[in-house]
Amino acid sequence: MTSPSSPLRAKRRRSALRTAAFMSPWLIGFAVFFAYPLMSTVYFSFTKYDGFRPPVLNGLDNWSYVFTDSPMFWPAMRNTLWLVVVMVSCRVVFGLGIGLLITKIKTGAGIFRTLFYLPYLAPPVAATLGFVFLLNPGTGPVNTGLEALGLPAPGWFTDPDWSKPALTALALWGVGDLMVIFMAALLDVPKEQYEAAELDGAGSWARFRHITLPNISPIILFAVVTGVIQAMQYYTQPLVAGKVAAGQIGGSGQQVEPGYPDKSTLTLPQLVYNLGFQRGDYGTACVLALVLFALSMAFTALLLRRRGGLIGTGD
Amino acid sequence: MAVTTDTTAPRAKAAPAPRASGPAAARHRRKEALHWVAVHSLGVAAALFFVLPFVFLFLTSLMSDQQALTRDLWPRTWEWGNYAKVWHTPGFLLWWRNTLLYAGLGTLLTVVSSVPVAYALAKFRFRGRRLSLLLVISMMMLPPQVVVIPMYLFWAKQLDLSGTLWPLIIPMAFGDAFSIFLLRQFLLTIPDEYLDAARVDGCGEVRTLLRVVLPMAKPGIAAVALFQFFCAWNDYFGPQIYASDNPAAWTLSYGLESFKGAHHTNWNLTMAATVLVMAPVIVLFFFAQKAFVEGVTLTGVKG
């Protein structure tokens, strides 16, 4: 093509304007609600700032405080690592198991699917309150049942060793989203491959190992990576569980030590809230916000890394 | 992408063993029956895990104050009045109103602002399209805490809107990353031929979007609207940041946690309130199962 004639150029300009018009809500939103505040977060992270007096630059003070002196940062990081390793893998394995089960159920599949899915919809605050009650060490139905069976009854949300397993139980209860994703992936596996394998005499484990798993591995990876991102953002459930198990009064103004019991339910997002909004140390809170940002973006990059991406940006 | 939600349909009907006689056929039938029993027992066990928490919450919500503190699982007297008590707790109705305002208005604004963006990303060819999409996905993965401090200072100090839900609702008028992404995935499944036909007939892009694309995109829009509605319904962090100082602006999710605080020992009332907050979600799900399941699938299984 030689130099574009002027009607063509006009057409191009019109189409660029049209694109901009359609994209404008998000372009404005991106600038006002993301790009600008992100830059402010970076700036505040290098200042002493309480939200009232103007921010005063203090170099790397906040950063070195967070990484070396803060009594809360490393416990929060350790909790996050625990949640990423244990909670995410439990959720993926359990979600896959439930997904497999639902594809095998022949009678009443619709009812089973609905029952498995419903807890996923329960509002997190309500679900967490419910689980703190169900797992109440003294009188909760779960421990009553465990004792009746002669099993040890742990302290769950009141015991630092058991609070994260209790949160994991809550997360497994809400595994409905993964069930649906795995179910769709499992039903997409070509039937012919199973039939061929069966003719070759492959048992059910061999078929799962050599046909099912390779076919759904992109979806497993998707579930793992999004699970990791969710685990880093884990906020409402650990916060509410900690507060309610500690018997603390909700509402505003209460200065409470977060992460009850013994910082075992403390997560990074809670720390942002605690430092910024409860202690009025916005500068340090911004450091944590940026740590959270870096971690989330690293894992998002993983999701997008492959050509076409796990998440389907493919053109 | 064909979204298969009915697990029974695509599976070959359990091949009715040819009515051949002989020990081999009988063995085969016995094996099938055993398999059926094993799978369904597992299904029932799993169903108990998912359903029993709901059952225990509900039963506790009907106990007396004293009994709720014991190990009893079954209510001795059925205190239906607990629900009336919760309903008439000062503030509870206000929380409902606020939640409906936040979820309803927020959903409406999200859909209206996200549809054109998703349409452009799915159907226009322009420079920077891939980059825009990557930015949308990155924002979708972003924890709200990353920018919350400057945002709070902006709404509270500069616009004096803390103590209201407006800082949560107004940004919805500027597109929501998750909704844009989900809608875009859905719009990709609409063949370009329909759009070309409309354009040949002289429709402008706006008309094409409104007259041709929107009617076909109804299931996608329904999924996005539902997700957005529940997202606002369930949101705890947003109301905690902006509304915690003003109980008149609390939402159900935020108020519920404080409710437990105010009714320290009253597990029965707390569970009744919990049931009342869960109930609308469950009722809405029964009316819109298909849209929901389709939405979840669309996010997970590549577009």
Side-chain angles (χ1 to χ4, degrees):
Chain A
M1 206 195 314
T2 50
S3 68
S5 55
S6 87
L8 189 58
R9 208 179 308 153
K11 199 179 158 211
R12 283 225 180 115
R13 195 176 313 127
R14 225 175 22 248
S15 108
L17 270 176
R18 185 193 69 186
T19 302
F22 276 72
M23 295 284 291
S24 62
W26 186 73
L27 290 174
I28 297 170
F30 182 81
V32 176
F33 301 115
F34 176 70
Y36 178 71
L38 182 65
M39 287 188 294
S40 307
T41 302
V42 173
Y43 170 65
F44 291 151
S45 77
F46 297 109
T47 65
K48 185 173 168 49
Y49 188 31
D50 61 8
F52 293 100
R53 278 161 299 188
V56 180
L57 280 169
N58 68 351
L60 289 171
D61 285 5
N62 302 329
W63 290 84
S64 70
Y65 170 76
V66 163
F67 286 104
T68 56
D69 293 334
S70 165
M72 312 236 260
F73 176 71
W74 291 110
M77 287 296 274
R78 272 196 295 279
N79 289 337
T80 300
L81 187 68
W82 193 100
L83 293 167
V84 162
V85 173
V86 182
M87 190 171 83
V88 174
S89 46
C90 284
R91 246 177 75 87
V92 170
V93 171
F94 189 62
L96 178 57
I98 294 291
L100 272 170
L101 179 63
I102 199 77
T103 58
K104 299 259 188 287
I105 287 179
K106 297 203 175 69
T107 313
I111 298 168
F112 279 106
R113 200 183 55 219
T114 304
L115 294 181
F116 296 169
Y117 189 71
L118 270 184
Y120 165 67
L121 296 172
V125 175
T128 309
L129 264 173
F131 263 65
V132 174
F133 169 74
L134 293 169
L135 297 174
N136 203 334
T139 55
V142 172
N143 278 9
T144 304
L146 287 175
E147 281 167 30
L149 294 171
L151 295 167
W156 300 112
F157 287 112
T158 59
D159 177 345
D161 291 333
W162 281 94
S163 56
K164 283 188 285 287
L167 286 171
T168 306
L170 173 59
L172 289 184
W173 190 56
V175 83
D177 54 338
L178 290 187
M179 172 194 76
V180 169
I181 289 171
F182 281 129
M183 191 182 84
L186 289 166
L187 292 173
D188 273 351
V189 179
K191 300 274 171 301
E192 304 78 49
Q193 297 187 12
Y194 288 117
E195 283 156 15
E198 213 158 346
L199 285 179
D200 290 344
S204 53
W205 170 250
R207 271 174 289 165
F208 177 73
R209 171 80 188 71
H210 296 292
I211 298 171
T212 311
L213 274 187
N215 268 295
I216 64 168
S217 64
I219 304 300
I220 294 179
L221 191 57
F222 171 84
V224 169
V225 178
T226 50
V228 171
I229 293 170
Q230 282 166 8
M232 284 181 314
Q233 302 187 11
Y234 209 40
Y235 182 76
T236 308
Q237 290 90 335
L239 177 73
V240 172
K243 279 168 90 172
V244 175
Q248 284 155 351
I249 311 296
S252 58
Q254 253 71 30
Q255 292 275 344
V256 292
E257 179 75 2
Y260 176 87
D262 195 21
K263 298 183 191 134
S264 65
T265 57
L266 188 65
T267 60
L268 282 184
Q270 267 168 274
L271 224 40
V272 175
Y273 179 79
N274 178 261
L275 285 169
F277 296 94
Q278 290 183 302
R279 301 190 179 193
D281 184 354
Y282 288 114
T284 309
C286 283
V287 173
L288 288 161
L290 291 173
V291 171
L292 200 54
F293 175 67
L295 290 174
S296 297
M297 285 303 106
F299 282 98
T300 304
L302 250 185
L303 260 187
L304 300 169
R305 195 181 45 130
R306 305 184 344 161
R307 190 170 168 72
L310 279 170
I311 205 162
T313 63
D315 283 289
Chain B
M1 183 190 67
V3 180
T4 321
T5 54
D6 189 342
T7 57
T8 51
R11 297 194 67 83
K13 286 263 174 276
R19 278 230 145 264
S21 49
R27 211 164 38 238
H28 183 74
R29 269 202 302 279
R30 205 164 52 235
K31 214 179 132 197
E32 290 252 299
L34 266 177
H35 182 75
W36 189 96
V37 170
V39 163
H40 287 77
S41 317
L42 254 178
V44 170
L48 286 179
F49 170 70
F50 288 111
V51 171
L52 276 182
F54 285 122
V55 173
F56 286 131
L57 301 191
F58 185 63
L59 288 175
T60 305
S61 76
L62 292 167
M63 291 179 182
S64 65
D65 293 357
Q66 292 83 9
Q67 204 199 349
L69 291 171
T70 67
R71 296 174 153 241
D72 294 358
L73 299 179
W74 198 256
R76 232 170 285 143
T77 52
W78 296 79
E79 307 281 344
W80 292 98
N82 288 345
Y83 282 90
K85 262 188 228 163
V86 170
W87 194 257
H88 293 115
T89 301
F92 201 74
L93 279 179
L94 205 58
W95 302 346
W96 271 88
R97 204 207 60 177
N98 293 337
T99 309
L100 284 173
L101 178 79
Y102 174 21
L105 197 55
T107 302
L108 186 73
L109 291 173
T110 300
V111 170
V112 170
S113 61
S114 301
V115 163
V117 183
Y119 179 60
L121 283 175
K123 295 297 181 193
F124 292 180
R125 312 226 136 249
F126 58 91
R127 211 183 304 161
R129 176 169 109 130
R130 199 177 142 77
L131 177 70
S132 311
L133 186 64
L134 290 178
L135 287 176
V136 168
I137 293 171
S138 311
M139 275 184 84
M140 185 169 99
M141 300 296 172
L142 203 71
Q145 286 83 9
V146 170
V147 292
V148 71
I149 287 162
M151 285 319 300
Y152 170 79
L153 296 168
F154 169 69
W155 290 108
K157 309 273 169 182
Q158 292 181 24
L159 301 179
D160 198 22
L161 279 174
S162 77
T164 73
L165 294 170
W166 294 112
L168 300 173
I169 296 172
I170 294 168
M172 307 270 194
F174 297 93
D176 164 72
F178 174 75
S179 307
I180 292 172
F181 175 71
L182 207 152
L183 276 170
R184 181 245 179 203
Q185 300 295 86
F186 193 90
L187 294 179
L188 284 180
T189 64
I190 296 179
D192 284 340
E193 287 78 36
Y194 288 99
L195 312 186
D196 293 338
R199 286 175 193 138
V200 168
D201 286 349
C203 275
E205 283 305 331
V206 177
R207 271 254 295 251
T208 309
L209 173 59
L210 292 179
R211 294 284 170 79
V212 181
V213 176
L214 277 194
M216 297 175 79
K218 268 184 200 152
I221 292 174
V224 163
L226 280 166
F227 273 114
Q228 202 55 31
F229 191 87
F230 283 123
C231 198
W233 191 275
N234 293 342
D235 185 18
Y236 176 90
F237 183 67
Q240 184 189 31
I241 294 295
Y242 294 107
S244 57
D245 291 342
N246 177 16
W250 286 0
T251 59
L252 281 171
S253 275
Y254 190 71
L256 184 61
E257 188 241 1
S258 315
F259 184 92
K260 170 67 185 90
H263 297 256
H264 209 50
T265 49
N266 299 32
W267 276 114
N268 56 342
L269 296 188
T270 306
M271 289 303 113
T274 303
V275 170
L276 283 176
V277 174
M278 285 181 175
V281 175
I282 290 169
V283 171
L284 195 54
F285 173 72
F286 276 104
F287 284 104
Q289 268 198 59
K290 203 165 166 282
F292 243 110
V293 172
E294 242 168 64
V296 173
T297 322
L298 221 44
T299 56
V301 187
K302 67 172 187 82

